[in-house]
Every structure is written in C-alpha cells, then in structure tokens.
Amino acid sequence: MIYPILKRLGDFTLSLIALVILSPLFIVIVILIKLDSKGPVFFRQKRVGRHKNYFNILKFRTMRFEAPKDMPTHLLEHPEQYITRAGRFLRKTSLDELPQIINILLGHMSIIGPRPALWNQYDLIEERDKYGANDVTPGLTGWAQINGRDELPIEEKARMDGEYVRRMGIAIDVKCFMETVVAVLKSKGIVEGAAGAKEAATLKEVVK
C-alpha cells in the first residue's frame, strides 16, 4: 500500500515543521516546569509500539518525582496529590504531549493512530491483538481519543482502534486531527483518577 509511505512522509515533514515553530513554546514550558518543582523536564515512559516493540514516549513532566511511574493516571486513587501546579495546566491543555513530536520525527509514533499502551497494560494489548491494532504505528491521537478518550472501557477502546486500522486513510486521519483540536480546546474526555472514572461511568448510565 502506498498510503503508509505517504503517511510516514507527512508525519516526518509536519513534525519537523512543528518542532521549529513551537520551539519558543517549548522553552517557556521548560522554564515553568523547572521553576515549579524539582526533577527532570521530560518524563520518559516505556510504551508499546508497532508490532509490540517497545519505545520510550516523551512528555513534559507534570507530576512529582515520587509519583508511580508505570500506572495510568486515571487509575490512581488520588492523582491530584502528585500533579504539580504547572502540570495541572499542561494536562488540561494537553501541552504535556508536545514532546511526542520528537517521537513522531524519529518514527516511533505517527500523528494519527492508536494511542501507545503502557508496557504493562496487558489487557489492552491483548484486546488490541484481536483487531490487528498492535501492528500499526501508534499515534499522538486517534479514533478512540475523539470518541471518549479516558472514559472508554478497554474493550471499546480496542474495538475503536481496530476500526481505525480497517478504515485507515486520509479521510479518517483528517477527521481525527480536526476533532482532536476541538476536543483539546474543550478538555473533552479527560478523567483524572479512579474516582473520576467512576463518576464518568455513572454519568453515562444516567444519560442512557
């Protein structure tokens, strides 16, 4: 297929341009993080890439150094005790994800694709195997992210990742990109902590 080649070329070109244009913003964020708390500027975490090969995802650090390293934030009972002041702003605006532009440039990730699972999210990895979603390059954002993000149960998230794999092409990539911009501006689908996840699930039941 020609599309994966064009997709990679587009990822490389756009990430390089974005890195140059956003470099002043990177510098401002670095200063804010260093002034706010002790620790490194970047947070590195082992994630599952294409064909289940591991890579280190990059984010701006939003949590204190003593925070659990290999647990999704939405599963922490009281994540607010670990999140820094600068981190709250970065997470709400999704600016903490900007360093993943470097991952995209290096080919670890794509702009659009299934979000890379943590190495120990065995249930999600296994569920994605059913749909071939572990055999494509993971993305900065994807079909599942514009359809629920943290609010989605594992089975539904994997199913949507599989739907993306089946429909992969310019149309769904553009749709994911445009709707991600809207979702970020509205802070849509972000759930912090186990308690928040339960509240979101309860709200869904009421709305049904």
Side-chain angles (χ1 to χ4, degrees):
M1 290 178 62
I2 190 67
Y3 186 69
I5 298 173
L6 295 176
K7 184 177 172 73
R8 174 58 192 146
L9 181 60
D11 285 338
F12 180 84
T13 303
L14 291 175
S15 61
L16 184 60
I17 293 171
L19 203 56
V20 173
I21 293 175
L22 295 174
S23 56
L25 180 58
F26 269 65
I27 294 171
V28 172
I29 294 174
V30 166
I31 293 171
L32 285 175
I33 292 171
K34 294 303 289 184
L35 290 175
D36 188 43
S37 62
K38 295 180 180 179
V41 170
F42 295 112
F43 172 69
R44 292 173 174 82
Q45 193 176 56
K46 187 177 176 183
R47 296 287 182 119
V48 179
R50 187 181 180 190
H51 300 313
K52 293 191 280 191
N53 293 314
Y54 296 130
F55 72 97
N56 287 318
I57 199 172
L58 294 174
K59 293 186 178 186
F60 282 123
R61 181 176 58 83
T62 61
M63 305 184 86
R64 303 189 187 284
F65 192 70
E66 63 271 18
K69 297 295 187 294
D70 291 319
M71 181 179 291
T73 309
H74 68 278
L75 294 182
L76 293 174
E77 196 64 40
H78 299 289
E80 64 279 354
Q81 67 180 311
Y82 300 113
I83 300 174
T84 64
R85 287 173 299 176
R88 280 194 291 272
F89 170 73
L90 293 175
R91 294 167 78 90
K92 186 173 183 179
T93 57
S94 293
L95 289 173
D96 61 315
E97 308 283 355
L98 282 182
Q100 287 164 55
I101 294 173
I102 300 171
N103 288 120
I104 296 170
L105 188 67
L106 295 174
H108 302 147
M109 295 173 61
S110 179
I111 295 173
I112 308 297
R115 279 297 292 169
L118 279 165
W119 67 272
N120 58 356
Q121 284 183 293
Y122 304 116
D123 50 353
L124 177 58
I125 297 167
E126 183 178 355
E127 197 69 21
R128 280 176 168 174
D129 271 335
K130 299 177 183 178
Y131 303 100
N134 290 316
D135 296 325
V136 298
T137 305
L140 179 65
T141 185
W143 189 240
Q145 279 59 54
I146 66 170
N147 286 286
R149 198 171 175 171
D150 293 336
E151 297 170 4
L152 294 174
I154 294 295
E155 295 80 6
E156 183 67 9
K157 186 178 291 186
R159 187 189 67 77
M160 287 195 173
D161 290 335
E163 184 178 339
Y164 171 77
V165 172
R166 291 194 304 274
R167 296 173 56 188
M168 191 186 300
I170 190 167
I172 194 170
D173 279 359
V174 170
K175 182 177 178 63
C176 286
F177 182 83
M178 298 305 295
E179 292 198 20
T180 293
V181 173
V182 175
V184 168
L185 291 175
K186 294 182 177 180
S187 298
K188 179 183 175 183
I190 299 175
V191 178
E192 300 284 24
K198 290 176 184 176
E199 288 174 10
T202 302
L203 179 60
K204 279 191 170 186
E205 289 299 320
V206 172
V207 173
K208 278 184 180 178

